[in-house]
Amino acid sequence: MRVTKLTIAALAVVAGLSLTACENGADIAADPKPATSAPTTNGDAGQEQGQEQGQGQEGGTVAGTGNNEDGKTDKCRTDELDVTATNATIDGDTDGTVAVTFTNGGGRDCAISGYAGVDLKTSAGSLSAERTGEAAPSVVLKDGEKVSFAVVHPVNDSGGSGVRITGLVVTPPDETKPVTLDWPGADSLPVTDGSGTPVKVGPIGSAGQGG
């Protein structure tokens, strides 16, 4: 009988220890320690800020080429302009029109405004075109862009030979170096009484502008 009592007591002690262990395990599972991240040092923050500033500098605006010390765009020079002339006369017009185009090939931005000098070579000598007097806007040409102006002349419908045109001499605004071109318009001008020039030149941009 004594042996039985001791056995029961021993079993009770073991059961109690097992219960306590289970409860402690449940407490550990229900209350784990929170995960922690490594703190950001001042050095890391400074590096990230420097990278952001570097990206901002890469996206910054760079001053365009062709500007002088005052920040103004330099004028277009004859040597950096490709000059061409085409017949732009529209059927039914009482006057003929030749469009002269300046194309910027200088590799930089340049400014052009006012009137070009225009002279026609004729069988009767050189004939200077007269300005129309229209307002002349200032135009900034980027490399490869172009601007045109009009040369307007009377059409020889007299039936006679008139004054034969042999060439066109164009001097860009504010320049002294001319460019000589073939005349693309009508072959001749009507003979006038000498009271005025029969040829008119419009300002830069008067014949349209393209890129």
Side-chain angles (χ1 to χ4, degrees):
M1 178 64 84
R2 184 177 180 182
V3 174
T4 303
K5 290 181 179 180
L6 289 175
T7 301
I8 294 174
L11 291 174
V13 171
V14 172
L17 292 175
S18 299
L19 179 61
T20 301
C22 291
E23 290 177 353
N24 289 339
D27 290 342
I28 293 174
D31 187 22
K33 292 183 179 180
T36 59
S37 59
T40 302
T41 63
N42 291 336
D44 293 337
Q47 183 178 3
E48 292 177 359
Q49 183 177 4
Q51 291 174 347
E52 292 178 356
Q53 290 176 349
Q55 292 173 354
Q57 291 172 355
E58 290 177 356
T61 302
V62 180
T65 59
N67 293 339
N68 58 29
E69 293 179 355
D70 297 331
K72 296 180 180 179
T73 304
D74 292 332
K75 294 179 180 179
C76 299
R77 303 302 180 188
T78 301
D79 290 337
E80 59 191 3
L81 293 174
D82 180 30
V83 188
T84 57
T86 57
N87 187 1
T89 303
I90 299 175
D91 291 341
D93 284 356
T94 56
D95 291 325
T97 302
V98 168
V100 178
T101 301
F102 292 134
T103 302
N104 181 10
R108 66 180 182 94
D109 296 355
C110 67
I112 190 168
S113 64
Y115 286 79
V118 173
D119 295 285
L120 271 60
K121 291 183 176 182
T122 75
S123 57
S126 180
L127 176 65
S128 296
E130 182 180 284
R131 296 179 179 182
T132 61
E134 299 173 70
S138 180
V139 177
V140 175
L141 292 181
K142 296 184 180 298
D143 186 37
E145 288 186 341
K146 58 189 176 183
V147 65
S148 302
F149 65 90
V151 178
V152 180
H153 61 87
V155 177
N156 181 19
D157 55 5
S158 64
S161 59
V163 178
R164 187 168 57 89
I165 305 174
T166 60
L168 173 65
V169 181
V170 178
T171 306
D174 301 315
E175 280 287 89
T176 58
K177 184 177 181 179
V179 176
T180 301
L181 306 170
D182 292 333
W183 174 252
D187 293 335
S188 64
L189 299 174
V191 177
T192 65
D193 57 7
S195 60
T197 176
V199 181
K200 302 284 187 179
V201 55
I204 297 298
S206 60
Q209 180 177 354

